[in-house]
Amino acid sequence: MLLDASDSQLVLVDYQARLMPAIFEGPQVLANALRLARMAQALRVPTWGTEQNPDKLGANPPELRELCQKTLSKMHFGAVSDGLADWLRPPARPVPGNARSLPKHLQKPATAPAAERQTVVVAGCEAHVCLLQTALELIEQEFDVWVVTDACGSRTERNRDAAFDRLAGAGAELVTTEMVAFEWLRTADHPAFREVQALIK
């Protein structure tokens, strides 16, 4: 029941230029998203971003985009509908060594599954729309979903809190930025401890 950095991926949903000024406690929400992304970088946790209709809502801040491997431009509110799950699941690797002349029952399977990180730590805006629908779709895709509440926001507290209630009921774990930090680290002896600790002080 603790997060494991080696099994985690981070998804940061829609911290966009024209959206963030309307988000309740927006500056703090964005600051925590940046902390998460920097912690993920320090601990080698793959990080992905999404942007909802960026032509209308603008891009994510450049400092956040730089910390993401890729940023998905989407039109659906749930990012899985626009291909996010394909990014989170590595493609199968071909298995070498099959001779064409071998009978089928002696051949190795055509592909071997690549190592998969099953835990998705997710945060974003708006909590009750794009974050909620993305997280619910990830749960449907059988990922273990952890929602970082202090890095999520909506225009109103009521909508944000309703999203958290619904996500908890659907099986997502609700955590905070500091919980993620110390669970990914697990020990003060971790080589990245000081770097991560400095991000949350």
Side-chain angles (χ1 to χ4, degrees), residues 49-65:
T50 73
E51 293 170 346
Q52 175 68 27
N53 192 5
D55 289 344
K56 300 281 188 217
L57 294 175
N60 288 339
E63 63 271 27
L64 191 66
R65 275 183 135 255

Side-chain angles (χ1 to χ4, degrees), residues 31-186:
N32 283 328
L34 285 163
R35 282 188 188 97
L36 284 168
R38 290 181 180 123
M39 292 182 325
Q41 186 176 54
L43 297 168
R44 297 192 175 131
V45 172
T47 301
W48 315 96
T50 73
E51 293 170 346
Q52 175 68 27
N53 192 5
D55 289 344
K56 300 281 188 217
L57 294 175
N60 288 339
E63 63 271 27
L64 191 66
R65 275 183 135 255
E66 285 169 13
L67 294 164
C68 296
Q69 259 105 322
K70 291 200 287 189
T71 297
L72 177 71
S73 175
K74 64 187 179 68
M75 292 301 289
H76 289 91
F77 301 126
V80 171
S81 297
D82 281 322
L84 178 64
D86 297 332
W87 291 9
L88 300 177
R89 287 201 170 99
R93 295 184 302 244
V95 175
N98 276 342
R100 287 186 185 165
S101 59
L102 276 176
K104 270 219 186 288
H105 71 281
L106 294 177
Q107 291 183 15
K108 296 175 185 171
T111 58
E116 190 172 306
R117 290 174 178 248
Q118 197 57 36
T119 300
V120 180
V121 178
V122 62
C125 300
E126 284 196 65
H128 66 295
V129 185
C130 293
L131 180 278
L132 173 78
Q133 291 187 35
T134 297
L136 291 175
E137 287 177 345
L138 289 169
I139 291 168
E140 272 186 353
Q141 292 282 318
E142 299 187 348
F143 286 99
D144 298 323
V145 175
W146 299 62
V147 177
V148 189
T149 57
D150 60 352
C152 294
S154 292
R155 285 163 294 146
T156 67
E157 286 180 89
R158 183 173 300 226
N159 277 323
R160 181 199 64 192
D161 294 347
F164 296 155
D165 288 345
R166 188 157 168 211
L167 286 162
E173 294 284 344
L174 303 185
V175 292
T176 65
T177 301
E178 286 199 20
M179 290 164 77
V180 173
F182 288 108
E183 289 180 34
W184 275 350
L185 285 168
R186 294 289 178 95

Side-chain angles (χ1 to χ4, degrees), residues 7-44:
D7 186 49
S8 294
Q9 300 184 73
L10 176 64
V11 174
L12 298 170
V13 177
D14 304 359
Y15 294 90
Q16 291 164 262
R18 291 186 201 131
L19 178 61
M20 291 312 293
I23 297 298
F24 177 73
E25 296 179 340
Q28 190 60 40
V29 166
L30 178 58
N32 283 328
L34 285 163
R35 282 188 188 97
L36 284 168
R38 290 181 180 123
M39 292 182 325
Q41 186 176 54
L43 297 168
R44 297 192 175 131

